[in-house]
Amino acid sequence: MSDDFKPEHAAAFKRALELALSYRERSQEIPPRPTLPLADLRAAFDVGLPDEGRDPVEIIEALSAAAEPGLIGITSPHFFGWVMGASHPVGTAAEFLTAAWGQNAAVFQCSPSAAVAEEVAADWLLELMDLPRESAVGFTTGATMAGFICLSAARTEVLRHTDWDLEEFGLTGAPEVKVFLSEEAHATIHSALRYLGFGERQKVMIASDDQCRMRADDLAAKLPQHAGPKIIISQAGHINSGAFDDFAEICKLARDHKAWHHVDGAFGLWARAAPNLAQYCEGIDGADSWSVDGHKWLQVPYDSGFAIVKNADALKRAMDISASYITADADDGRNPTHYGPELSRRARGFAVWATIQALGRKGIEEMVARHTRCAQHLASRVSEEPGIGVLNDVAVNQVAIAFGDENDAPGVRDKYAQDVVAAVRQENTSYVGGAVWKGRQIVRVSIISRTTDERDIEQLADSLVRAWRKVRAAN
Ligand SMILES: *Cc1c(COP(=O)(O)O)cnc(C)c1O
C-alpha cells in the first residue's frame, strides 16, 4: 500500500460504505421527515474547527451521526414531497467509484473515460427518449442549468439568423429577441432567462388552459405581433398537473414563425420512454432543444441533468471554452466543455451510464407506468372522501389535491390544505408538500420514488384521509 493512501484511509472508506449500506437498508422504516430540532442539528455539526487533522474513521462516524437525524427520506418509497428521484443504488455505487477516481470531466484530455462514458450515455438518452440522434447532450446539475444551457444556444442562434454575431457584439444593440412562454412556466425558466439577459419586457406570456397547458391558440395569436427573432418555451410535465403542451401544434407554429422551440421536460419527457404514455409527447422531437433531469424520474443520484440541443454547433458556439492550456488532439474524443458552462466538474456520466443499465429500457418503462397507475389509484382513493377533490386529470405521476367544498370560503379552503400538509408531516409515515394551483392552495403529491408501489399509496391515502378528518374536526 502506498504512503499517501494509509490503512486509516482504507478504514474510512470501509466505514463509509458500512454506514451507507446501513442507511439504505433502513430506508423503508426511516421517518421521511427529520424530527431533530434545528439547534440540536447545528450543535451536532458545530464541533469546532480543529487545529490538527482528526482520525479518518472518527470523522466519518461523526459525519454520519451528525447528518442522519437531519436527512429527508428522499430515498424512501414514502417520499412524495417534491418531484425528486430516489438515487438508484447502482448509480450511487457508481458515484462511490467516481469520487474515488477523483476525475475532472472538464475536457477529454483530463479524463478520457469520463468523456467516453458521457458520449455513450448521451446516445442512450437520445434513444430512450427518441429524440433526434444528431443532438448534442450536455451533462449538468439539473433542469435549471439544462434550461439555461439550451436557451443560451437558442439566443445565439436566433440572433445569428438576423446576422447579429452575439459572440462578437454581445447583447447591447442587438435586435430584440422575444421569448414566448406559458404563464404556467416553471420558476427556473424565468431564472434562466434572467441569467441570459432577458427581462420582463422580452417575455410574451401565453395563457394556459384548466390543466395548466399552454394554449396554442393564444400562442398563434401572439407570435405574428413580433417581427424580430423569437424563442418559444413549452413544457412536458407541468409541476402541479403533470400535463403536457400540444407539441405537434407548437412545433408547427415555431416552424411557421422561424422561432427556436425549447421544451422544459424536467421529469415529463420520461413519459416518452413508456409506450402507453408516449402519446403525450407526440411531435416533441420536432423541437430544437430539451431540458431533462437525470435525478428525477431516471433516479440518477444528485446532481444530474441533461441539456439536449439538436443543432450541436449552436450549442458549441454558445458554450465552448478556449484557453492556451486546454488542448485537443485530432484523435481526441468528445470534449465535455463544448456542451456546458463548466470547466472543472464531477464526472457525471459514470452514474448515468450505470443507472440506465441498472433499470434497462423495460425497467424505465415499468417504473414510469407504475407511478402513473399509483397516481390514478391515489386520485380515486382520496376522491371517495367527502370534502377532498382532485383538480388535475391525472396524466402521469402528479396529483393535485384540494380540500373543502363550495360552501367554504377560499381562505378557509387554503388553510385546510396547509393544515393537511402539516398533519401528514406530523404523522410522519409519508411526506407531502403544498403548492398553489391557479390561486388555490393544494396538497401536491409527486409519485416518483423508484420503488413506490400500490401498498405505499394505500398508506399515503390513509394518512391523507386521517389528516383531513382531523383538520375538519378541528375547524
Ligand atoms: C424540477 C423542475 C425544474 C428544475 O429542475 P432542477 O433539477 O431542480 O434544476 C424545471 N422545470 C420543471 C418542469 C421541473 O419539474
Side-chain angles (χ1 to χ4, degrees), residues 194-211:
R194 200 167 66 236
Y195 310 151
L196 288 164
F198 295 114
E200 294 305 316
R201 294 283 177 90
Q202 281 77 51
K203 295 179 194 167
V204 182
M205 303 309 296
I206 308 299
S208 61
D209 69 9
D210 64 340
Q211 291 299 312

Side-chain angles (χ1 to χ4, degrees), residues 83 141-145 186 188 235-237 239 264 266-267 293 295-296:
V83 189
T141 50
T144 303
M145 279 313 286
H186 195 264
T188 57
Q235 189 165 225
I239 199 77
D264 173 8
F267 64 97
D293 265 312
H295 56 219
K296 287 183 180 171

Side-chain angles (χ1 to χ4, degrees), residues 227-247:
K230 303 173 192 64
I231 297 170
I232 299 170
I233 303 171
S234 67
Q235 189 165 225
H238 179 270
I239 199 77
N240 291 338
S241 68
F244 295 74
D245 290 347
D246 181 349
F247 302 110

Side-chain angles (χ1 to χ4, degrees), residues 321-343:
I321 300 174
S322 53
S324 58
Y325 50 85
I326 303 175
T327 53
D329 293 332
D331 57 352
D332 279 3
R334 164 195 162 98
N335 234 337
T337 189
H338 286 160
Y339 309 108
E342 296 153 314
L343 188 58

Side-chain angles (χ1 to χ4, degrees), residues 7 62-63 100 102 110 131 193 197 212 264 295 298-299 302 310-311 320 362 365 377 403 406 419 428 432-433 459:
L63 173 62
C110 290
L131 294 174
L193 291 172
C212 310
D264 173 8
H295 56 219
L298 190 59
Q299 317 291 324
Y302 287 86
K310 186 172 166 187
N311 179 343
D320 195 21
K362 293 228 174 80
E365 270 176 44
H377 180 60
F403 296 84
E406 317 296 75
D419 290 353
N428 216 2
V432 296
Q459 178 174 318

Side-chain angles (χ1 to χ4, degrees), residues 179-185 190 203-207 218 222:
V179 183
F180 297 75
L181 72 167
S182 166
E183 60 183 7
E184 288 285 348
H190 293 278
K203 295 179 194 167
V204 182
M205 303 309 296
I206 308 299
D218 194 39
K222 286 178 175 155

